[in-house]
Amino acid sequence: MGATVNNPKVEPAARTHEGDPDPLLRQISDRASEFEAAGQIPADVIDLLRRLGVYRAAVARRFGGDERPFADILRLVERIAQADGSAGWVASFAPQTALYLATL
């Protein structure tokens, strides 16, 4: 488990993908110029992607995942990419990693 990032830019009551993801996507969109200037996606934004459900979307329920249909996962990644292209690119690797590990 990774360390928790305490960053005031992250809304503590932000909803997960089970609710309305728009508040989280707005946070990503609002900080796009920050990502560009830093040349990376900050750790607290990776936490936002986690809260959106990106990293557990393709994982089987029996392993604690959401086991979402791949089309739903792609739509989620597309929405993230609309908020910020770089964040969408980072998010796009999450389902691929789960599928790759499943093939092992």
Side-chain angles (χ1 to χ4, degrees):
M1 297 277 157
T4 302
V5 176
N6 186 10
N7 188 320
K9 295 178 183 175
V10 177
E11 295 175 11
R15 297 180 186 172
T16 66
H17 71 282
E18 296 157 350
D20 178 12
D22 288 338
L24 296 177
L25 294 174
R26 275 194 295 278
Q27 289 183 63
I28 291 170
S29 180
D30 290 347
R31 295 178 60 194
S33 61
E34 174 189 335
F35 309 158
E36 181 70 26
Q40 65 181 10
I41 302 294
D44 66 297
V45 176
I46 301 301
D47 186 56
L48 288 177
L49 297 177
R50 181 192 59 77
R51 290 163 55 193
L52 283 167
V54 170
Y55 299 107
R56 66 176 180 265
V59 177
R61 280 190 181 88
R62 67 183 174 158
F63 298 119
D66 291 340
E67 201 172 310
R68 295 172 71 176
F70 200 64
D72 289 353
I73 297 167
L74 292 178
R75 284 196 263 323
L76 176 60
V77 170
E78 180 180 37
R79 289 187 70 191
I80 295 166
Q82 288 171 339
D84 177 68
S86 296
W89 184 80
V90 169
S92 72
F93 288 101
Q96 293 174 26
T97 301
L99 295 174
Y100 171 74
L101 291 175
T103 62
L104 294 178

